Amino acid sequence: MITVLALVNPQVDSPVNGEQRIRRFICRFGRGARTAAGAAIGLATVCGVLRSAHAQPAFEFAKPVLYTFDFAMYPPAIAAGDLNNDGFVDLVVSGRNVEGKVLIMLGEGDGVLGRPMELLIDSQTEWVSVRNFDLDGPLDLAVVVRGSEGVVAMFSGVGDGTFTDRTDHAVGRSPSSMAAEDFDGDGAIDLAVTNFGSDDVSILLNDGQGGMNLWQTVALGGPLKGRAWPFYMTASDFDNDLDLDLLVGHFGSSHVSFLRNQGDGAFSAALTIPVLQPVGVAAADMNLDGNIDVVMADLTDFEGRSAVLENHGDAQFSGLTTFDTGGWSWYVATPDLNGDGRPDVALTDVLDDLLILLPNESAGDMALGRAQFIPVAAFPRFILPVDLDGDCDMDLVVASLGAHRLTVLINETPQGSSCPIADLSGDGRVGVSDLLILLADWDAPGGSADFDYNGHVSVSDLLFLLKHWD
């Protein structure tokens, strides 16, 4: 079922005080408990977030479209790709449902998604990734299966939106997230999996035909009673040596872990970096100095904030800048929403059921603008930035774990570039620098130049870039 919500006026944060914090907790109870608790402390029982109006939001979106599943789906993650080669972006949604279903939603153009098709996994799933793992053309699927004995289930794509030939690969206990990238530089997509239950990261290298071999298990330490609780992870070249490193966020621990890639898909021992209490982590060059910084969603004492850990080159991290947002920040993404070449920040607030957007106003220093708040369904767990309607800018899809829903926000923000997603270099225009990046990734399995989401960089992507040449 598809429901169109009324457009809600964007809002900005106001200071969080003790009364507001208590109100948030009251609003997490049922209706009767809200009334009783509110009367007991003399607060109004109308639940909501105390925000002050902001007349000029940084970003503009069409009316949110809400996709409600007809069973208790509990979606924790989403992946995107053109699964049936029709030129439209499709979605795959993982689920913590008892039926063990993953849902496939084929795009129908203009950002519209079709009725979900079911892929039976026979267990709850935590994460999904859509990539061309076996290098045969159609996009394949990797699914993180929850459980005390963790598994990544791999499926071969047929090319019509369906999958076949499941193979399972053992990882650690209770896996929580996954990065699918080429870690050893052989042109095939490998996997890194965070294991919440065993406090480690499993590295699986691709044999070139889609088969995954467990190459390494990297232990993670933590100050919380000896536990690390690894949750989310991001992959990027933090030390500027042309291979992809890993950065892990931890649930309830005041640190992140950095795993340096040695160049052959093997990673160094985890380096613990003290920060706040981040769960969600993302990688982006926030201040445009050529070094990839770490953006975090912080959970400290329910005083929600975003934090940026600056990278000064060669993965030398220091200088933590925080930006208060209120609520309980969980997941973070860094799409360029206005096409100015600077990555903006998108957070989920699982306490107040909000999507929080902060425009990047960095100009050498680290600066984020006033926050914009968009109500979404209960417990927004995941944000997928993707050009869903094919108009060259980044739209947002939010998965709400507690409401069994996806919220689609089509971006209508005026863009600083004619085609931001083709501006690979981030210089505000589509030109020679972007062409060179595309050619360097030619025939690679995915990447930033895979504009049509079909799993590899090819002639169609070159024609797309040339079409939008400034």
Side-chain angles (χ1 to χ4, degrees):
M1 180 177 69
I2 301 173
T3 305
V4 180
L5 302 179
L7 183 62
V8 180
N9 291 328
Q11 301 167 316
V12 297
D13 194 28
S14 56
V16 179
N17 54 38
E19 176 180 303
Q20 185 173 349
R21 195 174 300 112
I22 294 171
R23 189 190 304 272
R24 286 175 177 166
F25 282 104
I26 291 174
C27 288
R28 279 301 181 193
F29 295 103
R31 182 174 299 173
R34 289 177 187 172
T35 304
I41 62 174
L43 291 179
T45 58
V46 176
C47 289
V49 185
L50 302 180
R51 311 289 185 195
S52 56
H54 187 11
Q56 188 63 40
F59 310 112
E60 301 174 15
F61 296 90
K63 292 182 179 181
V65 177
L66 188 64
Y67 291 82
T68 303
F69 304 118
D70 57 7
F71 67 102
M73 177 63 182
Y74 299 104
I78 320 167
D82 185 1
L83 303 177
N84 57 354
N85 297 304
D86 64 353
F88 302 134
V89 177
D90 312 307
L91 301 183
V92 180
V93 186
S94 60
R96 289 185 170 185
N97 54 86
V98 296
E99 296 87 353
K101 297 175 182 177
V102 164
L103 298 183
I104 300 164
M105 305 177 71
L106 299 182
E108 299 180 351
D110 295 326
V112 177
L113 299 170
R115 185 174 181 81
M117 301 184 297
E118 298 176 354
L119 177 64
L120 190 61
I121 307 296
D122 294 325
S123 185
Q124 296 182 1
T125 57
E126 192 69 27
W127 200 269
V128 284
S129 181
V130 174
R131 302 297 293 266
N132 184 11
F133 291 106
D134 56 13
L135 305 179
D136 68 345
L139 288 172
D140 309 305
L141 177 65
V143 181
V144 170
V145 181
R146 298 187 76 211
S148 57
E149 300 300 327
V151 166
V152 174
M154 306 286 297
F155 295 86
S156 294
V158 177
D160 59 0
T162 63
F163 298 92
T164 186
D165 297 334
R166 171 175 173 169
T167 57
D168 288 352
H169 304 275
V171 290
R173 296 193 302 274
S174 302
S176 54
S177 68
M178 177 170 60
E181 300 289 351
D182 181 7
F183 293 116
D184 58 1
D186 66 351
I189 297 297
D190 311 303
L191 297 176
V193 181
T194 55
N195 301 305
F196 186 82
S198 51
D199 294 336
D200 50 34
V201 175
S202 299
I203 307 298
L204 296 90
L205 297 187
N206 194 328
D207 63 7
Q209 297 180 336
M212 294 292 173
N213 300 306
L214 182 61
W215 177 249
Q216 184 184 16
T217 300
V218 184
L220 302 172
L224 188 65
K225 297 181 179 180
R227 293 299 310 276
W229 306 110
F231 211 90
Y232 288 127
M233 172 173 54
T234 186
S236 191
D237 183 10
F238 292 103
D239 54 5
N240 299 317
D241 65 352
L242 302 182
D243 52 39
L244 296 174
D245 313 299
L246 296 172
L247 197 290
V248 182
H250 301 263
F251 181 83
S253 297
S254 55
H255 74 286
V256 293
S257 296
F258 173 66
L259 284 66
R260 190 187 299 268
N261 191 337
Q262 302 299 305
D264 58 355
F267 290 82
S268 62
L271 173 66
T272 298
I273 304 173
V275 283
L276 301 170
Q277 291 186 16
V279 172
V281 290
D285 182 4
M286 295 298 294
N287 55 1
L288 305 182
D289 65 351
N291 300 311
I292 301 298
D293 308 302
V294 181
V295 186
M296 297 172 284
D298 179 48
L299 294 176
T300 306
D301 299 327
F302 289 94
E303 300 289 351
R305 59 179 63 86
S306 173
V308 179
L309 181 63
E310 293 189 49
N311 181 0
H312 298 282
D314 195 30
Q316 299 299 310
F317 298 103
S318 65
L320 186 68
T321 307
T322 61
F323 304 90
D324 291 335
T325 57
W328 196 7
S329 302
W330 188 272
Y331 191 84
V332 61
T334 53
D336 180 4
L337 293 173
N338 55 8
D340 65 354
R342 295 178 291 189
D344 305 301
V345 176
L347 298 157
T348 61
D349 174 358
V350 297
L351 188 61
D352 300 316
D353 301 332
L354 294 170
L355 174 66
I356 305 175
L357 305 177
L358 298 102
N360 189 346
E361 298 179 353
S362 300
D365 58 343
M366 193 70 67
L368 297 180
R370 300 184 73 184
Q372 178 178 340
F373 297 82
I374 300 176
V376 290
F379 207 109
R381 175 69 184 272
F382 189 89
I383 305 168
L384 175 69
V386 61
D387 183 15
L388 198 61
D389 58 353
D391 66 349
C392 276
D393 57 27
M394 281 295 178
D395 310 304
L396 299 175
V397 185
V398 180
S400 292
L401 186 76
H404 323 301
R405 296 171 182 169
L406 302 183
T407 301
V408 173
L409 292 160
I410 298 298
N411 194 349
E412 295 186 346
T413 307
Q415 299 293 306
S417 169
S418 62
C419 185
I421 67 170
D423 179 18
L424 302 174
S425 64
D427 62 359
R429 59 187 298 271
V430 180
V432 174
S433 59
D434 308 300
L435 176 61
L436 293 176
I437 293 173
L438 182 146
L439 294 176
D441 288 339
W442 191 264
D443 208 29
S448 59
D450 182 20
F451 304 124
D452 55 8
Y453 297 92
N454 69 351
H456 61 280
V457 179
S458 61
V459 173
S460 59
D461 303 302
L462 175 60
L463 293 176
F464 180 90
L465 186 144
L466 294 176
K467 176 182 178 182
H468 298 284
W469 194 275
D470 285 341

